[in-house]
Amino acid sequence: MAVEHHPNGTIDGDVLVATVREHGAALRGCWTFDTDGYETRYLRGDVADATAETDIERYVDNERYAFVTHDTYDRLHPSTFRYTVRGFDGFEVFRLVFEDHVGVLCSFDGASGRDYGALADEIDALADDGHGQFTPR
């Protein structure tokens, strides 16, 4: 499938988005980010309309704090910190960060009981060749 960028930042043919969709048909949005920027990989039309006034850059900037907490948790606990899930009224947010300060952020409609551990495993498998594909362009 050809990759096509849309004005709202959505990218067709994105293997990351396809993988995330397998774990939640109600995908609202998917972003990748690092310490310097972010990229919208998918943003559903109704969500884009509803969040038109939302400062996405500020929202993603808040998610960068995960790089600090990731490092802190890894020093405090005998197990490696993998991902975070937060529930809001009407949707859930999943965030996975890697040691090299690259992250993936996704949101899904509703509380569904998704297997976020399996989703983290799938994204990790995509990143086996390195996290460069998740670095914002």
Side-chain angles (χ1 to χ4, degrees), residues 6-134:
H6 296 280
N8 67 359
T10 300
I11 303 168
D12 289 339
D14 188 316
V15 69
L16 173 62
V17 172
T19 299
V20 171
R21 277 193 160 148
E22 289 175 13
H23 289 273
L27 180 64
R28 296 166 50 90
C30 180
W31 299 265
T32 53
F33 61 99
D34 63 9
T35 56
D36 297 321
Y38 75 95
E39 180 176 14
T40 301
R41 305 290 285 256
Y42 173 79
L43 187 59
R44 201 172 68 204
D46 64 314
V47 175
D49 292 343
T51 60
E53 299 298 316
T54 301
D55 184 350
I56 297 295
E57 185 172 355
R58 187 172 168 200
Y59 179 72
V60 174
D61 191 44
N62 186 59
E63 297 300 326
R64 286 188 185 96
Y65 191 67
F67 299 136
V68 174
T69 58
H70 184 273
D71 295 343
T72 300
Y73 282 131
D74 277 349
R75 286 191 308 271
L76 294 174
H77 297 284
S79 296
T80 302
F81 177 62
R82 296 190 61 215
Y83 60 90
T84 300
V85 176
R86 291 183 307 281
F88 295 87
D89 289 338
F91 66 97
E92 295 176 324
V93 175
F94 165 85
R95 178 186 66 208
L96 175 67
V97 297
F98 301 101
E99 306 81 35
D100 54 357
H101 293 173
V102 174
V104 175
L105 178 67
C106 305
S107 68
F108 300 91
D109 286 336
S112 69
R114 287 175 191 84
D115 184 348
Y116 286 108
L119 177 56
D121 290 344
E122 290 288 328
I123 294 172
D124 279 339
L126 289 177
D128 276 348
D129 294 333
H131 305 123
Q133 65 184 337
F134 300 143

